Amino acid sequence: MKEFVLLFDIPREEHKVEVKAWRDLHRMGARMIQHSVWKSDKLQNLIDVAIFIKKSGGMARILEERFVF
């Protein structure tokens, strides 16, 4: 099973965007690694959250997790 990591940055003045993103991530069962780093196997859900963050003025990236060592 592939896992994906969402990295995002939301401007401080956009607190409502951050709250909605966090709620959506919790709802899908994503796991928080750090404040703005979340991990999930549900790629489409992560893409939806990333699109919302970008449309709201933030930055978002999704990486495929792959262990090398």
Side-chain angles (χ1 to χ4, degrees):
M1 173 171 40
K2 290 184 180 183
E3 294 239 293
F4 303 92
V5 178
L6 170 66
L7 309 164
F8 63 88
D9 186 29
I10 299 170
R12 288 190 186 271
E13 61 273 4
E14 298 296 337
H15 183 68
K16 290 180 182 181
V17 173
E18 183 176 38
V19 170
K20 181 182 180 342
W22 278 33
R23 286 182 180 162
D24 289 349
L25 289 162
H26 278 287
R27 193 174 301 118
M28 79 169 81
R31 294 172 310 282
M32 183 170 62
I33 306 300
Q34 289 185 353
H35 183 74
S36 59
V37 181
W38 291 71
K39 182 176 176 180
S40 176
D41 61 350
K42 298 175 181 153
L43 178 58
Q44 188 57 53
N45 293 80
L46 288 177
I47 290 171
D48 293 341
V49 173
I51 289 170
F52 168 73
I53 290 170
K54 284 185 163 197
K55 285 183 177 180
S56 301
M59 181 281 299
R61 301 280 186 266
I62 299 174
L63 309 171
E64 182 177 344
E65 182 181 67
R66 188 179 102 188
F67 290 101
V68 177
F69 178 72

